[in-house]
Amino acid sequence: MSPEKFQAIARIAPFAAYIAVLALEMHSDILPGGMDVRWIYPLKTLIVVGLLAAFWRAYAELRHFSFSIGDTVLSALAGLFVFGVWVGLDFPWAVLGDPGAGYDPHVGGQIDWRLAAMRLAGAALVVPVMEELFWRSYVMRWLERSDFLSVAPSAVSWRALAISSVVFGFEHHQWLAGIVAGVVYAWLYRRSGQLHYPILSHAVTNGTLGVWVLMTGQWRYW
């Protein structure tokens, strides 16, 4: 296997596994009777973590990076901005399909904090790494050139940024908010040239959203 192909697979495999298990969640009728489908989310998270660990040597951009206080603060603020967009752009026409009741961690009338903690940890710590490796590090640069590793983030065209952000948006029920989020994270990557800043921003968005959902009971956002 060529180094380029290995690098591509390393970014595709965790995301593909996540989507495959998500499809299983959406077709829970095929699961054994009595199984609580909510426990599939922790399983999905563990599978993604395992794949990220297995391919860790391919993620040089995550192992070696420079730190900037300014970019860190900007990324955190951008993450909070996307959170505001996420809970604000929830108009019926801006939602794709029926998100359903969401991930409600209640058991016997009380929150099962094991379910809640694993859902929050997966969304805030694992999903941002997995999605940014796929959408920004791979897809956005691959749209520029098939040998994506040769493309510096700062050299990515606005066309590639826009296309990848739109497709990223339609990965989510809230497609319009998703597109805005994709543009923000892609802009951070293009601006800084380093993947850990959009990962941080994405983590702030998902972490803040998770805490807000737990405080308000708006489970449909999960």
Side-chain angles (χ1 to χ4, degrees):
M1 181 185 299
S2 67
E4 292 79 9
K5 186 173 292 186
F6 175 76
Q7 291 285 343
I9 291 174
R11 287 158 175 77
I12 294 169
F15 179 79
Y18 185 91
I19 295 300
V21 182
L22 178 63
L24 179 63
E25 284 182 283
M26 296 172 64
H27 295 85
S28 57
D29 54 301
I30 67 175
L31 297 174
M35 180 177 180
D36 189 340
V37 70
R38 291 174 298 181
W39 286 102
I40 294 180
Y41 191 92
L43 172 63
K44 178 171 58 179
T45 300
L46 289 174
I47 291 172
V48 171
V49 168
L51 287 169
L52 290 173
F55 288 112
W56 182 247
R57 67 187 178 92
Y59 309 138
E61 59 196 316
L62 296 184
R63 299 195 309 271
H64 309 291
F65 59 86
S66 60
F67 175 77
S68 162
I69 293 178
D71 283 333
T72 299
V73 172
L74 177 63
S75 300
L77 292 174
L80 292 174
F81 167 76
V82 174
F83 160 71
V85 167
W86 208 269
V87 299
L89 293 181
D90 60 347
F91 312 112
W93 57 267
V95 177
L96 185 67
D98 181 9
Y103 190 95
D104 185 346
H106 278 86
V107 174
Q110 294 186 334
I111 291 179
D112 184 327
W113 288 104
R114 297 172 302 169
L115 286 170
M118 286 186 284
R119 179 65 174 81
L120 181 59
L125 302 178
V126 179
V127 168
V129 178
M130 175 266 295
E131 287 202 317
E132 294 308 313
L133 279 168
F134 178 72
W135 288 109
R136 256 57 72 179
S137 178
Y138 174 64
V139 173
M140 190 169 80
R141 293 193 292 171
W142 176 83
L143 286 168
E144 202 65 41
R145 278 202 302 274
S146 58
D147 56 336
F148 69 99
L149 288 177
S150 68
V151 180
S154 59
V156 172
S157 66
W158 289 105
R159 169 186 165 275
L161 185 152
I163 292 173
S164 61
S165 298
V166 168
V167 180
F168 173 79
F170 279 95
E171 177 205 353
H172 301 83
H173 286 297
Q174 292 174 247
W175 61 268
L176 181 57
I179 291 173
V180 175
V183 169
V184 170
Y185 303 148
W187 173 75
L188 286 170
Y189 185 42
R190 191 177 187 274
R191 178 185 182 279
S192 68
Q194 300 191 74
L195 193 64
H196 63 286
Y197 289 120
I199 288 175
L200 170 62
S201 187
H202 201 152
V204 169
T205 298
N206 288 8
T208 305
L209 179 65
V211 172
W212 180 81
V213 166
L214 287 169
M215 291 177 62
T216 62
Q218 299 290 329
W219 310 116
R220 72 182 187 277
Y221 288 96
W222 256 9

